[in-house]
């Protein structure tokens, strides 16, 4: 379970708990520990700016190393591994699919860095969950992903960025509920 | 609630992670 730019805050912990309730061992690595240990924040404009600043100091390569550490921890269970990520974590979920061995499925929610790495080849099944009115991720992003991966499923919801976070102003419950249902179905299909 | 654990990345970096075990199946009621 990969965080947004707001750290492993109480929302991410709640979402992690939700996957556990659905029967999964769930781990949310604190990817921002490399920049600021224990970083977590809320969703006001100042928080967004803080999160972006920390994100800007973190290399994708280091973040991949930390996701890989979480995957290895989960592998101790002997179970298949799925990676779900939101926002920054959506990009990381995609890159987990392309760069980390042992991932059985990935679900990427509105990751702004996916289009830039769309040429990479996933090693496992992936679905994308986008917001139709996401100003930060226009449809050109999805189209670029489609050009490179016409067989990967992309779901587009009538909502904006962060629609699955019930603590953000952009929360859109119908889209969030449907996206979560699709996420669980995809995990059941490929992870168990 | 789950708990915080420590992980070590391949380059030696120590990071924390929030972990929540799978919800265990409810034990059978003693009268069942």
């Amino acid at each position: 379970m990969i965080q947004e730019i707001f750290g492993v805050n109480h929302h991410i912990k709640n979402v992690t708990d939700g996957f556990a309730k659905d029967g999964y061992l769930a781990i949310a690595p604190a990817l921002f520990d490399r920049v600021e240990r224990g970083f977590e924040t809320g969703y006001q404009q100042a928080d967004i700016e803080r999160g972006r600043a920390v994100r800007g100091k973190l290399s994708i390569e280091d973040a991949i190393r930390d996701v890989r550490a979480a995957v290895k921890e989960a592998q101790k269970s002997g179970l298949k591994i799925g990676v779900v990520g939101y926002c920054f974590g959506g990009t990381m979920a995609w890159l987990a699919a392309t760069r980390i061995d042992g991932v059985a499925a990935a679900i990427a929610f509105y990751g702004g860095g996916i289009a830039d790495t769309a040429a990479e080849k996933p090693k496992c099944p992936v679905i994308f969950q986008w917001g139709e009115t996401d100003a930060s991720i226009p449809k050109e992003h999805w189209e670029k992903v489609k050009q490179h991966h016409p067989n990967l499923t992309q779901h587009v919801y009538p909502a904006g960025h962060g629609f699955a976070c019930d603590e953000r102003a952009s929360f859109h419950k119908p889209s969030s509920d449907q996206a979560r249902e699709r996420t669980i179905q995809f995990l059941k299909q490929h992870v168990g | 609630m789950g708990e915080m654990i420590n992980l070590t990345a391949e380059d030696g970096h120590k990071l924390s992670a929030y972990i929540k075990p799978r919800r265990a199946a409810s034990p059978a009621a003693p009268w069942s």
Side-chain angles (χ1 to χ4, degrees), chain B residues 8-25:
Chain B
T8 303
E10 62 210 41
D11 62 350
H13 168 67
K14 307 283 188 187
L15 68 147
S16 59
Y18 178 76
I19 186 167
K20 178 79 172 180
R22 299 198 292 170
R23 187 175 67 174

Side-chain angles (χ1 to χ4, degrees), chain A residues 1 16 19-20 22-27 70 73-82, chain B residues 19-23:
Chain A
M1 164 66 205
T16 304
F19 285 113
D22 280 308
Y24 298 98
L25 167 69
I27 302 177
E73 179 67 24
Q75 284 175 326
K76 293 177 182 175
S77 67
L79 302 168
K80 290 184 177 179
I81 310 298
Chain B
I19 186 167
K20 178 79 172 180
R22 299 198 292 170
R23 187 175 67 174

Side-chain angles (χ1 to χ4, degrees), chain A residues 106-156:
Chain A
I107 298 96
F109 281 73
Y110 34 77
I114 295 172
D116 289 341
T117 54
E120 296 191 21
K121 306 296 184 191
K123 303 175 182 179
C124 66
V126 180
I127 58 172
F128 301 95
Q129 317 252 38
W130 309 106
E132 187 176 24
T133 59
D134 187 336
S136 63
I137 307 177
K139 67 177 182 180
E140 288 76 14
H141 285 233
W142 332 327
E143 290 171 350
K144 186 174 180 182
V145 173
K146 188 76 173 176
Q147 288 170 5
H148 286 281
H149 306 286
N151 296 326
L152 294 183
T153 298
Q154 301 194 50
H155 298 295
V156 180

Side-chain angles (χ1 to χ4, degrees), chain A residues 1-38:
Chain A
M1 164 66 205
I2 312 300
Q3 63 174 74
E4 306 168 300
I5 62 169
F6 307 101
V8 179
N9 60 10
H10 102 279
H11 166 70
I12 291 298
K13 291 175 181 174
N14 283 341
V15 176
T16 304
D17 289 349
F19 285 113
K21 285 181 180 176
D22 280 308
Y24 298 98
L25 167 69
I27 302 177
L31 302 191
F32 285 3
D33 270 8
R34 286 183 185 263
V35 179
E36 183 177 328
R37 191 163 184 86

Side-chain angles (χ1 to χ4, degrees), chain A residues 38-114:
Chain A
F39 177 88
E40 60 176 283
T41 189
Y43 297 93
Q44 300 303 311
Q45 187 58 40
D47 299 324
I48 295 171
E49 291 169 8
R50 284 185 65 210
R52 285 177 175 164
V54 174
R55 160 67 192 94
K57 296 175 183 174
L58 177 67
S59 78
I60 289 296
E61 290 72 22
D62 280 343
I64 285 291
R65 290 185 181 94
D66 294 349
V67 175
R68 189 177 287 120
V71 167
K72 288 186 175 178
E73 179 67 24
Q75 284 175 326
K76 293 177 182 175
S77 67
L79 302 168
K80 290 184 177 179
I81 310 298
V83 179
V84 184
Y86 302 81
C87 182
F88 163 64
T91 299
M92 295 312 302
W94 162 244
L95 294 176
T98 65
R99 301 185 189 183
I100 298 179
D101 292 330
V103 175
I107 298 96
F109 281 73
Y110 34 77
I114 295 172

